[in-house]
Amino acid sequence: MSDKIKNAKHGKHAKPETDESAAPEKDLSGLDFLVTKKEKIAPANAQPSSADAGSADAGSADDQPAHPQRPQRPQTMRLPPITHQDLAPLAGSRPQSNQPMSYGMTPYGAVAPSQGMLPVDTAAALKRQRRKRSILKALGITFGVLVALVVVAYVGVAVYFSDRFMPNSTIGDVDVSLMSASEAQRAVANSVSDYELTVEGMGFTLNLSAVDTGLRINAASMVDEALSHENPWLWPIELKREHNETAALVASYNDAGLTSIVEEAVATFNSTAEGPTNASVAYDETAHAYVVTPEAPGQALEASKVVEAADRALAALEPTAVLDETALKQPEITASDERLAEAAESANKMIAANFDLILGEDSVEAVNGDIIHQWITLDDEYKATLDREAMTSWANALADSLNTVGTSRTYKRADGKTFTVEGGVYGWEVDREALVEAVVSGVDNGSAEPVYIPTFSEGAVYNGVGERDWGNRYLDVDLADQYVRLYDDNNKVIWESDCISGTPDGVHDTSTGVYWVNRKQSPSKLTGYENGEKLYDTTVQYWMPFDGNAIGLHDADWQPDFGGEMYKEGYGSHGCVNLPPDKAGELYGLLNEGDVVVSHW
């Protein structure tokens, strides 16, 4: 290689001279990558240096190769460092870095970064931008047209529904969907003319017509009110909703006529219905105490409540008014009334007594709450008091149930025969007044001790009314057999005899019943009277009366015989029981005053 070529390859360019008066040099640092191989990077007024000229002259024709001339290698020029940030708008999405990049001129005139950046075709980019702007402009025009159409459609639908009901709109039982205001008015008015109301529930039914109630409506006002609840400008939302405008129904009617019809129907219904029961204080036989019993509504209806239910239905033109428990007549006094609790507490103190009533050796009645509560009353203020009159009535009734004197009693004789006897003066007789005082005292004191029933007379035993109340020892006068027997305490016959009883003529019959021997006398003069006239005056040796001092057993030595049917054959006495003299003497020795005499057929 010649020295000229070496000098041309390695020589330095001469530094151009600077003309300070010349125009300032443009900053082409950002466009350095557009410099081609044929362009010189130098100011416009720069003059070539001698070094440059020498370099150009150094290569003469003699020194050049014989083959055709080929393009020279592009001159490399140092450009200011460019970072990735400077190339971001052109390079697209590239790794960001603040490190400088070196550029060189490519054989094709484009500047490429030393790290592999691709060349940029600015003409194609500008073409794409213009095409994009055209598309966007077309889209904008299309969108504007669509928006205008939507607005027109939206406003049109809103105007359409400004005087028309939305779908799924009802007023009462009338479907007014898509109806105009005038159409809805006619439909509602027609429905009212055929309107009927049924009031029912709790066993009650009443049918009312528009005529019955004098029903009237203002259809125009009702429809306007209903339409005001629907917003036509929100029709996209309103179309999806159901519109029940029944609340806009406001009807007027004849209040007096409605009340009269309802009250009459309720009165008829209540005539057979059970009314309400107030809360009260009552005796609970299970708990053996006074408790507060809750109130109960019953089945009767409150007319005013039925009228209110009909009012509501009529005002809204509803076809049915359903009655529930609130329409029932309600009790006036409830369990929460403090007076009831106080009365129950007071009454329970009054029934604290618990004692037995003793007759003979047996308890015949237990006086406790189950009995005493019958005598307790509550006044209007729920104050508990003991009713003395009621207690007296109870004691008298008890006495009647205990008395055996003169009652019918059935017994079995030792020989096995059964008899029923009625009458006489023997047996149990209760002292009523004394019994009342004893019971009152026991209740007032809350007694738990037994109380013996005071009596006027007592039997040997007490087995209850209708049962035998005498012991084993007694004198049995069998009028049917005309035979008399004396039983001892061992129920054995210790004496017996035939007899003649009184003449069975209804005047001189021998008394029947249970008695006791009230005296013994020996001798004794017997004097008989009838209608105030003295019939006889007879002396007997053994006088043993049992019915007062008029009827008794005695010796009769004037009778020819005894027993059989002589009492019916003219030998009957004036009522006494005639005995043979010797038998009368024996009996007189065995019989005691107070011994029981049972005279029976």
Side-chain angles (χ1 to χ4, degrees):
M1 184 181 297
S2 64
D3 294 335
K4 290 183 180 180
I5 295 175
K6 291 181 181 179
N7 292 336
K9 183 176 182 181
H10 299 285
K12 294 183 180 178
H13 292 285
K15 180 178 181 182
E17 296 180 359
T18 301
D19 186 0
E20 296 180 355
S21 63
E25 183 181 354
K26 294 182 180 180
D27 184 4
L28 301 178
S29 60
L31 299 178
D32 288 343
F33 62 94
L34 297 178
V35 179
T36 64
K37 65 180 180 176
K38 294 184 178 180
E39 292 174 333
K40 295 182 179 179
I41 307 304
N45 57 353
Q47 295 294 326
S49 63
S50 58
D52 293 333
S55 298
D57 293 338
S60 64
D62 297 334
D63 297 327
Q64 298 299 323
H67 56 77
Q69 185 178 359
R70 56 182 177 182
Q72 297 179 356
R73 293 185 62 179
Q75 299 294 321
T76 300
M77 182 178 183
R78 288 287 183 177
L79 296 178
I82 299 177
T83 64
H84 288 287
Q85 292 178 345
D86 296 327
L87 297 177
L90 298 177
S93 178
R94 300 285 292 176
Q96 298 297 313
S97 173
N98 292 326
Q99 297 297 322
M101 300 176 64
S102 59
Y103 295 82
M105 301 302 293
T106 67
Y108 304 99
V111 178
S114 60
Q115 295 183 4
M117 183 173 180
L118 297 175
V120 177
D121 186 351
T122 58
L126 292 174
K127 185 176 181 180
R128 285 195 299 272
Q129 288 179 358
R130 285 194 297 270
R131 184 167 51 198
K132 181 177 181 182
R133 284 195 295 270
S134 298
I135 294 173
L136 291 176
K137 183 176 179 180
L139 289 175
I141 293 172
T142 303
F143 178 76
V145 171
L146 292 176
V147 169
L149 291 175
V150 169
V151 170
V152 170
Y154 174 81
V155 173
V157 174
V159 171
Y160 176 80
F161 283 113
S162 62
D163 188 39
R164 191 172 295 273
F165 284 94
M166 296 285 178
N168 301 318
S169 294
T170 57
I171 300 178
D173 58 354
V174 179
D175 187 350
V176 294
S177 299
L178 302 179
M179 286 187 182
S180 66
S182 58
E183 292 172 341
Q185 291 174 18
R186 288 192 297 272
V188 172
N190 291 336
S191 71
V192 171
S193 64
D194 298 329
Y195 174 76
E196 290 186 352
L197 171 64
T198 299
V199 183
E200 61 184 3
M202 310 310 294
F204 175 83
T205 301
L206 174 64
N207 295 315
L208 297 169
S209 67
V211 176
D212 292 335
T213 60
L215 187 65
R216 301 181 300 278
I217 65 166
N218 186 335
S221 175
M222 288 165 47
V223 169
D224 289 344
E225 172 70 15
L227 275 174
S228 70
H229 298 158
E230 300 183 0
N231 189 340
W233 295 103
L234 295 179
W235 60 263
I237 298 175
E238 296 281 8
L239 289 175
K240 299 177 181 179
R241 294 175 48 224
E242 289 191 5
H243 305 273
N244 187 346
E245 303 298 342
T246 302
L249 286 173
V250 178
S252 59
Y253 48 88
N254 186 339
D255 290 339
L258 173 65
T259 300
S260 176
I261 294 173
V262 171
E263 286 181 346
E264 182 178 353
V266 170
T268 301
F269 175 80
N270 287 348
S271 63
T272 57
E274 182 181 355
T277 303
N278 286 331
S280 62
V281 175
Y283 185 78
D284 187 335
E285 294 187 356
T286 301
H288 304 289
Y290 275 91
V291 297
V292 176
T293 59
E295 68 277 6
Q299 299 172 335
L301 294 172
E302 187 70 57
S304 63
K305 297 293 185 182
V306 180
V307 171
E308 288 177 6
D311 277 342
R312 290 191 297 270
L314 282 169
L317 293 178
E318 295 176 353
T320 305
V322 179
L323 304 177
D324 56 20
E325 289 81 0
T326 60
L328 296 175
K329 276 190 173 182
Q330 298 301 311
E332 297 178 359
I333 301 172
T334 64
S336 60
D337 194 320
E338 294 181 356
R339 296 175 299 171
L340 300 181
E342 294 174 356
E345 182 180 0
S346 177
N348 283 327
K349 291 179 180 178
M350 295 180 181
I351 63 171
N354 187 0
F355 56 88
D356 290 336
L357 292 174
I358 307 299
L359 187 64
E361 296 180 356
D362 299 320
S363 172
V364 295
E365 190 67 76
V367 179
N368 50 37
D370 293 343
I371 297 295
I372 302 172
H373 82 270
Q374 303 175 47
W375 313 329
I376 294 178
T377 60
L378 297 174
D379 59 20
D380 294 339
E381 296 300 321
Y382 296 97
K383 181 180 180 181
T385 57
L386 189 63
D387 187 345
R388 305 284 172 162
E389 184 176 348
M391 188 183 299
T392 299
S393 297
W394 177 86
N396 288 335
L398 177 63
D400 290 341
S401 69
L402 297 177
N403 288 338
T404 62
V405 174
T407 62
S408 177
R409 282 160 279 189
T410 300
Y411 72 101
K412 179 181 286 188
R413 201 165 61 186
D415 59 5
K417 293 183 178 181
T418 299
F419 302 94
T420 297
V421 60
E422 185 175 356
V425 295
Y426 173 87
W428 296 92
E429 184 177 3
V430 175
D431 184 343
R432 299 169 184 265
E433 293 184 3
L435 174 60
V436 170
E437 291 302 321
V439 172
V440 170
S441 176
V443 171
D444 288 344
N445 296 324
S447 178
E449 299 296 327
V451 174
Y452 289 88
I453 297 176
T455 61
F456 290 119
S457 66
E458 298 182 358
V461 293
Y462 184 80
N463 295 315
V465 175
E467 300 296 329
R468 173 174 173 168
D469 55 359
W470 60 90
N472 290 335
R473 181 181 174 85
Y474 77 102
L475 185 67
D476 187 277
V477 179
D478 190 338
L479 300 177
D481 287 348
Q482 292 290 291
Y483 204 82
V484 182
R485 299 175 179 85
L486 177 62
Y487 291 88
D488 65 6
D489 291 331
N490 296 318
N491 209 22
K492 301 295 185 182
V493 176
I494 59 174
W495 177 91
E496 57 187 326
S497 173
D498 291 320
C499 69
I500 294 177
S501 63
T503 301
D505 57 6
V507 176
H508 302 101
D509 300 80
T510 299
S511 302
T512 58
V514 183
Y515 303 87
W516 56 76
V517 177
N518 53 56
R519 62 184 298 186
K520 288 171 61 177
Q521 188 176 24
S522 180
S524 179
K525 181 183 284 189
L526 305 180
T527 300
Y529 294 88
E530 187 172 339
N531 297 326
E533 181 179 351
K534 188 175 183 180
L535 297 179
Y536 59 87
D537 191 355
T538 303
T539 299
V540 297
Q541 295 300 313
Y542 307 107
W543 173 234
M544 296 164 282
F546 56 86
D547 185 0
N549 196 41
I551 303 297
L553 298 98
H554 61 80
D555 53 295
D557 55 2
W558 59 85
Q559 294 285 12
D561 202 357
F562 296 89
E565 294 186 348
M566 294 181 65
Y567 73 105
K568 294 188 293 184
E569 296 171 354
Y571 296 98
S573 68
H574 287 82
C576 287
V577 178
N578 294 170
L579 297 173
D582 58 337
K583 287 294 184 178
E586 292 177 2
L587 179 61
Y588 190 86
L590 296 173
L591 202 59
N592 299 319
E593 291 184 6
D595 280 342
V596 176
V597 176
V598 179
S599 176
H600 62 89
W601 286 97

